[in-house]
Amino acid sequence: MANILTQAALLVIDSVAGFFSILLLLRFFMQAFRAPFNNQFGAFVVKLTNWAVIPLRKVLPPVFGLDSASLLAAYLLQVLILLAVVSLHAGPGTLAPSSTAILIVTRGLLATLRLCVYLFIGLLIVQAVVSWFSPHSPLYRPIYQMTYPVLQPLRKIIPPVSGIDLTPLIAILLAQIILIFV
């Protein structure tokens, strides 16, 4: 019974923290790639992430013009997930301070990087679907802005085939290769 409760608790923690991590990374990407926030999609992301970003911005300035508060908040949520997994599986009070801390910090970085790659793959898929069915959707422009910096160099190398752009497929393949190494 305790094992089932542990699994249920981990599912809830992972789902909630993962959802907010994705939103925080979306906020970071939108700001980094100058995607517009003045639409329903941007307003949704901002309203659901302000609770974490605004307090962090008071102590953490932007780095190189990038929203470091959003990125740090996403990282901290990934660390929270790892801490929950370790403490619920190992039991409270069994964490060795030094080795576990180093492991959680590095795994948190890798988990955040992995989540960034998965988010980018998701953005590519959503962009393709939206471009086919509703290219004038308010969702299309911000997603296009976030995927353009990666797709544009590929478009210079790989021309459209019969008017069909294959670069999102190539970008997804490259992202999958990155995931193998992360």
Side-chain angles (χ1 to χ4, degrees), residues 30 33-39 41 127 130 134-148:
M30 289 178 75
F33 297 122
R34 308 292 188 255
F37 281 93
N38 61 348
N39 54 48
F41 180 67
Q127 179 188 356
V130 169
S134 183
H136 301 293
S137 166
L139 187 62
Y140 184 74
R141 186 165 177 239
I143 291 176
Y144 177 81
Q145 287 288 117
M146 289 184 277
T147 57
Y148 177 82

Side-chain angles (χ1 to χ4, degrees), residues 41-71:
F41 180 67
F44 176 79
V45 170
V46 169
K47 284 189 181 202
L48 287 179
T49 56
N50 272 345
W51 64 272
V53 174
I54 290 175
L56 281 175
R57 280 193 180 153
K58 292 178 183 176
V59 294
L60 186 65
V63 177
F64 302 115
L66 298 174
D67 187 10
S68 52
S70 295
L71 191 58

Side-chain angles (χ1 to χ4, degrees), residues 114 117-118 173-182:
R114 195 174 307 111
V117 175
Y118 280 125
L173 177 67
L174 293 172
Q176 292 284 345
I177 291 170
I178 291 170
L179 283 173
I180 291 171
F181 293 104
V182 175

Side-chain angles (χ1 to χ4, degrees), residues 68-83:
S68 52
S70 295
L71 191 58
L72 178 64
Y75 166 74
L76 291 174
L77 282 174
Q78 290 301 301
V79 168
L80 175 74
I81 293 170
L82 291 169
L83 282 171

Side-chain angles (χ1 to χ4, degrees), residues 24-39:
L24 288 160
L25 289 173
L26 268 173
R27 185 173 178 150
F28 174 78
F29 286 159
M30 289 178 75
Q31 189 272 335
F33 297 122
R34 308 292 188 255
F37 281 93
N38 61 348
N39 54 48

